[in-house]
Amino acid sequence: MNGLELISKNVSRIITLTDAEQQRFFTVLESKKVKKKQYLHSDGEVCNYINFVVKGCLRLYNTDENGVVHVVQFAIENWWISDVASFLTKSKGVFCIDALENSEVLRISKSSVDKLYTDVPKFERYFRILAENTYIGYQKRTSYNIGASASERYLYFKKTYPEFIKRIPQNHIASYLGVTPEFFSKLKKSLIK
């Protein structure tokens, strides 16, 4: 399945487009390839795009003043990723987005999204529902991180995102779970026993 087919299928889960509306949508999409370890967005820069993953795996993260990396999101095929606050407010971002695998995205600029809302109003509904689902996901994750042990967080992550376990390096999963790679390694060994 090519990128346009994949994103069309994603959109059609929420809204139905006419052929003309779909073609209008395609005109705002830009294809971008990102090599493994290459940045799609760096902190301190304005995030000018929201990105739909066609191929590969990306992560959204920041690094604290002690050099500790905090992974906020992973995105694989059929997922969206962006430094949302920077994108929406056109302010300098606090997150980086880099590729964990050679990746390809279809991206949309803020001005194109705004124009798309005027030209094809259905997209306001589409992106609103995406935003609502993202917000729900962040609330669930925050609640789980506050109340669950590291082993419970890992088991939940493994059950909820089995495809991530196969593709994402252990140190990045540890960062997402809020534990050190060493602790994560011990945790996995104890769960196997």
Side-chain angles (χ1 to χ4, degrees), residues 10-24:
N10 182 285
V11 168
S12 70
R13 291 178 309 129
I14 298 173
I15 59 174
T16 302
L17 300 174
T18 66
D19 289 343
E21 290 168 336
Q22 183 167 314
Q23 289 309 311
R24 173 65 184 104

Side-chain angles (χ1 to χ4, degrees), residues 113-174:
V113 168
D114 291 341
K115 184 81 171 96
L116 192 60
Y117 289 165
T118 302
D119 295 348
V120 187
K122 294 174 189 176
F123 274 100
E124 281 196 285
R125 179 173 190 272
Y126 173 75
F127 283 110
R128 176 185 52 80
I129 290 172
L130 281 183
E132 289 170 353
N133 289 338
T134 300
Y135 185 70
I136 290 165
Y138 280 136
Q139 278 194 330
K140 283 182 181 177
R141 180 174 177 210
T142 301
S143 175
Y144 214 75
N145 283 351
I146 292 169
S149 69
S151 59
E152 289 169 330
R153 291 194 309 270
Y154 170 64
L155 292 171
Y156 177 80
F157 179 82
K158 185 177 177 181
K159 179 182 175 188
T160 307
Y161 309 109
E163 65 278 10
F164 289 0
I165 296 293
K166 299 172 196 164
R167 295 173 65 176
I168 296 171
Q170 301 296 301
N171 61 317
H172 299 313
I173 294 173

Side-chain angles (χ1 to χ4, degrees), residues 17 20-21 45 71 104 106 109 124 145 167-168 180 184:
L17 300 174
E21 290 168 336
E45 298 176 353
V71 176
E104 180 183 348
L106 290 172
S109 70
E124 281 196 285
N145 283 351
R167 295 173 65 176
I168 296 171
T180 65
F184 185 60

Side-chain angles (χ1 to χ4, degrees), residues 10-57:
N10 182 285
V11 168
S12 70
R13 291 178 309 129
I14 298 173
I15 59 174
T16 302
L17 300 174
T18 66
D19 289 343
E21 290 168 336
Q22 183 167 314
Q23 289 309 311
R24 173 65 184 104
F25 177 52
F26 289 168
T27 66
V28 301
L29 299 172
E30 299 176 32
S31 180
K32 171 123 179 118
K33 292 188 178 185
V34 190
K35 293 185 182 198
K36 183 177 181 177
K37 297 185 180 180
Q38 183 181 356
Y39 285 88
L40 186 61
H41 172 70
S42 297
D43 61 340
E45 298 176 353
V46 174
C47 186
N48 293 310
Y49 298 93
I50 53 173
N51 306 281
F52 177 82
V53 182
V54 173
K55 175 182 167 244
C57 181

Side-chain angles (χ1 to χ4, degrees), residues 178-190:
V179 299
T180 65
E182 296 79 18
F183 181 85
F184 185 60
S185 180
K186 290 176 187 173
L187 172 72
K188 284 182 59 184
K189 286 178 186 172
S190 73

